[in-house]
Amino acid sequence: MGLAKFIAKLPWLGAKKTTALLFDEAQVRSQLREATATLESVFGNLSENIIEIDSRTESLKNHCHTLLELAGGHNNGTTIILEAAQALEDPMQYIEESLDKRRDLKNLMSVCEKITNTLLHRQNEMIEKLKPLKFMLVFYKIEAANLTAEHQSTFITVSDEFLRLHTMVDKTFRENIEKLTDAKSRISRAVDNFVQEHNNHTRQVKRHRNIISDTISSLNRQLSENSLQNTDLHYATEHFQSALEKLVIALQTEDIFRQRCQHIEDSLDNKPNHLSNLAWALLNSRKIDAAAREMREASKQVDESLKAILTQANELNDISVSMKQFKHMTASADGMIQILLDSFDGMYGIFKHSEKLSSDAQEAVSPVKSLVSGLSVIVNRVSINIQFIALNAQVKSIQVGEGSGLEVLAARTAEISTELKELGDETEKDIEKMQLTVEKIAQLIDEDRKSSANLAGNLGEHDNSNTQNLHNLRNDTFNTLNHISETLNFVKNFLEKDRDKLDEFPLVASSLEGIAQSILEVSGISKLDATELALLEEEIVDELIEAEKTSHTSLNAHKETSLEVFDRNADDSEIVNTTGDVELF
Amino acid sequence: MTQKIHTYTASGDILSTTAGTFWDEVSKIIDTLSSSEVLRLDLRASTMVDSVGLNAVVKIIRAVSDLGSKVQILIASDYLKKLCAFTRLDEKAEIIGP
């Protein structure tokens, strides 16, 4: 049955066909304009924010790239790390060489210790040799008692000299023995300390060498394995930008919606003649309903896009903080920079300790140096005195004449003198050797101390450009992380506010749906049964298809526009466009 | 048994200009620390720690670990929280807050 015949059978419907339009056009226009204005206002704000966020996204991408470079030790980081490692090589080499020098020093100190021991032994020998003098003094006095007063006084003088010499030897040699024993003990301690510290420093240098070598290997491995393109952070940055671009596309529904509303408005003035008023009412109700659906869809798409951006922002934030793929991340507490800083610190500690060792060694050897020169004077004086006494005794005994016991005593004194001279000569040689050794030690210590102080100064944190560079590199990384964090917080704050604004959309859509429903009710269409409604729908099929075509023409035109925008962005970011299939309607 | 806690409270940021004093002052506490005790660094007044500051914190953690003790770090700033995670300091010491 044709629609005209069907309508004719319905008296109330037929009657309405001849009446004026069955809905308030002015109200429809007003509601459509209100909906468009709301959409424009919300989308306008969003668009402004998007422009700001887009410019920040570009900077975010750069910061993420910089973070990858800094954390991975790429580019400038590689240079700084390698330079720092090289800067550590010289002091380590110096320490290894100076360990050899210290081996020499240790040997010299052992020689020094041995000579000290020999000198101690010789002092004791000299004391032993001089012991008979004590008895001979008594014999001299006994023998002198038998002489004339003149000769007696001469021999008393000799015995007095014996006494003086003996007192001197007794006192000074005892002191010497104490000093030599003390010196020997100091040198022995210094030698032990040297051996211990030598081993300790050797171990430390070896450890630092291994650590630095591992660090450089790690850096090279990291540089070869972690290409900047294959990192989580790189992908997260891409996903973030991709989410942002989807929002840009979603925002273009504003234009489409506006055109849809405009089309409805325009068509209100151009009712096709072949359509009944009732069909015209249904057609407009359907169009307004479609616009309301589009608005809800647009709101949903924008909301989903905003959610996606927030999710991506959080993911990007988490990934930038964790940097899981970088096992040897430069900025970590056990990363390459920290390892190198620790090595600088370790080397500095070794040099400072070496300075202390040198100073201790110098302190241990210093008393030996003054002691041996004093010893030399004493031994000389004793030797000369005893020779003088022996000679004097021999001369006096000749003057007194043969037969006196003095002759024998003088001969024995001469023998002791000779023995002491021999011992003195040996001691002189030892002392000379000791002096040379001590001087060599002093020279080595002085050289070592100067070099250690010099290198320690170079390695000190304030004067060391390498450690400064390492700190700067790490500070750059921290600053970049901070920039990323601030940008993401900015984006999140903006978008969270924008999401609140989307709450207005369902209200506008509901209002449109209300108009559509009101048209149906006012016109009486809502009272039609299913068959009647189907017939009426049939009448407007062609108009609805035409309306959809018009919308799709607009949509396709807009899709093209959004793709152009997207292509432009994709060119910048090298992202493959996957959003061309997004169904906006 | 409750562990004895030795607390050092920083008055501000731990930067290259303050890290030396920070280390010197904390070292004095470390010298008195025994193995069963805890060193607590209260950095709630700090909003920034730079590379030199981090180096000082790492040295402190190492020195305390060598004694067989542990370090707790109190923080109030979100940035420091991120920094602790980023530098993996949170794997070497217990980070408390914010």
Side-chain angles (χ1 to χ4, degrees):
Chain A
M1 182 165 55
L3 185 63
K5 284 181 185 173
F6 166 72
I7 290 170
K9 284 184 180 176
L10 299 169
W12 62 270
L13 208 55
K16 284 183 182 173
K17 190 184 175 188
T18 57
T19 60
L21 288 174
L22 300 175
F23 57 92
D24 185 347
E25 276 182 52
Q27 194 195 359
V28 170
R29 281 182 205 282
S30 158
Q31 294 280 6
L32 286 172
R33 282 175 193 167
E34 195 187 320
T36 311
T38 306
L39 198 74
E40 269 177 9
S41 150
V42 174
F43 275 37
N45 278 337
L46 276 169
S47 299
E48 280 171 22
N49 291 346
I50 289 290
I51 291 168
E52 178 65 28
I53 291 168
D54 189 46
S55 76
R56 293 208 178 212
T57 303
E58 202 52 42
S59 127
L60 181 72
K61 269 179 70 182
N62 291 337
H63 283 313
C64 287
H65 189 77
T66 309
L67 186 69
L68 285 175
E69 285 190 331
L70 290 168
H74 291 262
N75 300 339
N76 195 31
T78 312
T79 314
I80 290 171
I81 288 168
L82 291 178
E83 275 178 3
Q86 184 57 45
L88 279 163
E89 182 56 32
D90 288 346
M92 281 195 296
Q93 203 171 339
Y94 174 80
I95 290 170
E96 280 173 343
E97 283 169 9
S98 70
L99 289 176
D100 289 339
K101 280 186 193 168
R102 273 194 224 157
R103 204 171 289 122
D104 295 343
L105 192 60
K106 193 202 106 187
N107 291 339
L108 284 170
M109 289 186 79
S110 298
V111 169
C112 201
E113 191 184 0
K114 267 186 201 160
I115 300 172
T116 312
N117 221 12
T118 309
L119 283 172
L120 256 175
H121 187 67
R122 294 216 195 286
Q123 285 284 282
N124 283 324
E125 265 191 292
M126 285 174 101
I127 287 172
E128 285 299 314
K129 292 284 176 203
L130 285 166
K131 262 185 186 168
L133 287 179
K134 206 173 178 179
F135 307 107
M136 285 171 70
L137 183 64
V138 179
F139 289 138
Y140 265 104
K141 281 187 177 170
I142 294 168
E143 290 300 328
N146 300 323
L147 299 174
T148 61
E150 185 195 346
H151 289 135
Q152 221 173 42
S153 67
T154 308
F155 276 90
I156 284 169
T157 311
V158 173
S159 64
D160 283 349
E161 281 168 2
F162 262 121
L163 185 64
R164 209 169 43 249
L165 179 65
H166 192 266
T167 309
M168 183 183 82
V169 165
D170 212 27
K171 185 171 172 276
T172 54
F173 278 28
R174 193 172 293 123
E175 279 175 6
N176 286 341
I177 285 170
E178 278 174 16
K179 284 177 185 170
L180 280 169
T181 308
D182 182 51
K184 188 186 161 215
S185 147
R186 278 164 179 261
I187 293 169
S188 176
R189 274 201 304 274
V191 170
D192 287 347
N193 208 17
F194 253 104
V195 172
Q196 197 181 337
E197 292 305 324
H198 172 94
N199 293 336
N200 188 19
H201 288 174
T202 308
R203 270 198 306 276
Q204 282 190 52
V205 171
K206 199 174 171 186
R207 188 171 65 84
H208 282 296
R209 249 191 204 294
N210 289 340
I211 290 173
I212 291 167
S213 165
D214 287 349
T215 303
I216 301 302
S217 302
S218 300
L219 174 66
N220 290 331
R221 204 165 45 245
Q222 188 163 282
L223 289 173
S224 63
E225 285 174 2
N226 284 334
S227 125
L228 296 181
Q229 301 297 317
N230 295 329
T231 55
D232 288 343
L233 188 63
H234 179 73
Y235 289 127
T237 316
E238 282 190 350
H239 293 158
F240 178 78
Q241 192 165 21
S242 174
L244 197 66
E245 283 160 357
K246 279 182 185 168
L247 177 63
V248 171
I249 291 170
L251 287 181
Q252 298 191 26
T253 53
E254 180 208 341
D255 285 342
I256 299 162
F257 180 79
R258 197 190 313 110
Q259 284 187 21
R260 167 84 74 177
C261 291
Q262 192 62 51
H263 177 73
I264 297 170
E265 260 196 89
D266 293 347
S267 67
L268 284 174
D269 296 329
N270 300 305
K271 175 181 166 295
N273 291 329
H274 66 277
L275 281 186
S276 64
N277 281 350
L278 203 59
W280 178 237
L282 181 62
L283 178 64
N284 280 293
S285 172
R286 291 284 185 261
K287 282 183 184 175
I288 293 167
D289 231 8
R293 275 201 309 278
E294 278 165 7
M295 188 152 204
R296 285 190 192 282
E297 187 60 30
S299 166
K300 191 179 152 201
Q301 278 187 26
V302 171
D303 189 45
E304 281 174 0
S305 300
L306 291 177
K307 271 188 202 162
I309 294 173
L310 287 171
T311 305
Q312 292 303 331
N314 286 329
E315 189 183 322
L316 184 55
N317 192 45
D318 291 347
I319 287 173
S320 68
V321 170
S322 68
M323 299 288 277
K324 282 180 192 160
Q325 282 169 304
F326 289 85
K327 285 182 186 166
H328 309 283
M329 204 247 287
T330 56
S332 63
D334 51 5
M336 283 179 276
I337 291 179
Q338 190 61 46
I339 284 169
L340 290 168
L341 288 173
D342 289 345
S343 292
F344 274 108
D345 208 30
M347 291 298 120
Y348 180 74
I350 289 177
F351 281 119
K352 293 306 277 181
H353 204 231
S354 292
E355 264 189 275
K356 172 85 172 55
L357 269 180
S358 302
S359 173
D360 289 349
Q362 207 160 29
E363 208 176 297
V365 170
S366 174
V368 180
K369 199 175 174 183
S370 59
L371 180 65
V372 286
S373 47
L375 196 65
S376 171
V377 173
I378 299 287
V379 169
N380 257 328
R381 202 189 299 163
V382 170
S383 182
I384 288 165
N385 276 349
I386 193 81
Q387 281 177 58
F388 173 74
I389 293 167
L391 188 65
N392 199 19
Q394 277 177 324
V395 170
K396 295 297 174 190
S397 68
I398 290 164
Q399 282 174 352
V400 171
E402 288 183 14
S404 75
L406 288 172
E407 229 179 282
V408 180
L409 283 174
R412 179 69 190 120
T413 307
E415 271 176 33
I416 292 172
S417 164
T418 309
E419 284 168 6
L420 274 175
K421 190 177 180 316
E422 282 168 8
L423 267 175
D425 289 346
E426 291 295 319
T427 306
E428 276 292 314
K429 282 179 196 165
D430 287 335
I431 285 171
E432 201 176 322
K433 200 174 168 188
M434 181 71 145
Q435 278 170 334
L436 284 172
T437 310
V438 168
E439 270 182 26
K440 184 74 185 158
I441 287 172
Q443 190 190 337
L444 275 177
I445 287 172
D446 199 43
E447 282 172 12
D448 190 48
R449 199 179 54 184
K450 279 180 187 162
S451 305
S452 294
N454 191 28
L455 281 163
N458 290 341
L459 287 172
E461 191 154 340
H462 297 297
D463 303 323
N464 186 348
S465 62
N466 287 293
T467 54
Q468 284 301 319
N469 287 338
L470 290 170
H471 282 306
N472 290 342
L473 180 63
R474 197 154 64 170
N475 282 334
D476 285 347
T477 317
F478 293 167
N479 289 337
T480 308
L481 179 73
N482 199 24
H483 283 307
I484 292 171
S485 183
E486 279 178 358
T487 308
L488 291 173
N489 280 339
F490 170 87
V491 170
K492 284 196 275 185
N493 286 338
F494 251 126
L495 298 186
E496 270 161 11
K497 280 182 204 158
D498 286 339
R499 278 193 71 196
D500 293 342
K501 289 176 195 158
L502 293 181
D503 292 344
E504 294 179 45
F505 285 5
L507 297 176
V508 177
S510 296
S511 163
L512 288 173
E513 284 161 354
I515 298 169
Q517 187 58 34
S518 137
I519 292 173
L520 296 180
E521 281 167 11
V522 170
S523 61
I525 297 172
S526 57
K527 291 177 185 165
L528 297 178
D529 63 24
T531 318
E532 291 166 344
L533 188 61
L535 283 170
L536 205 56
E537 297 273 14
E538 200 177 306
E539 190 181 344
I540 62 166
V541 161
D542 292 342
E543 272 67 25
L544 276 177
I545 290 170
E546 188 56 34
E548 281 305 303
K549 271 185 189 168
T550 315
S551 295
H552 275 284
T553 310
S554 303
L555 170 64
N556 290 333
H558 279 282
K559 271 189 177 177
E560 200 172 333
T561 311
S562 59
L563 285 173
E564 282 166 10
V565 173
F566 195 63
D567 283 345
R568 175 175 55 76
N569 292 330
D571 285 344
D572 293 342
S573 62
E574 295 174 5
I575 296 171
V576 177
N577 173 20
T578 55
T579 54
D581 297 332
V582 172
E583 267 303 328
L584 301 179
F585 288 88
Chain B
M1 199 178 89
T2 315
Q3 284 181 312
K4 189 177 176 188
I5 297 175
H6 297 254
T7 304
Y8 172 81
T9 306
S11 57
D13 295 339
I14 315 294
L15 305 173
S16 56
T17 46
T18 55
T21 315
F22 170 67
W23 163 250
D24 290 344
E25 287 175 357
V26 178
S27 300
K28 286 178 198 161
I29 300 177
I30 295 173
D31 289 342
T32 66
L33 214 62
S34 63
S35 63
S36 59
E37 295 171 343
V38 173
L39 174 69
R40 178 178 285 168
L41 297 176
D42 186 345
L43 306 185
R44 282 178 294 182
S46 315
T47 52
M48 291 285 291
V49 172
D50 71 2
S51 178
V52 179
L54 176 70
N55 196 33
V57 175
V58 171
K59 268 168 76 176
I60 288 166
I61 293 172
R62 190 172 300 133
V64 172
S65 299
D66 288 347
L67 293 172
S69 306
K70 287 180 180 171
V71 176
Q72 287 180 345
I73 303 177
L74 301 188
I75 52 171
S77 136
D78 284 334
Y79 173 70
L80 281 196
K81 178 91 173 170
K82 270 182 191 168
L83 197 73
C84 288
F86 182 69
T87 58
R88 290 152 200 175
L89 207 60
D90 57 359
E91 293 173 11
K92 300 187 173 296
E94 185 186 355
I95 311 293
I96 302 171

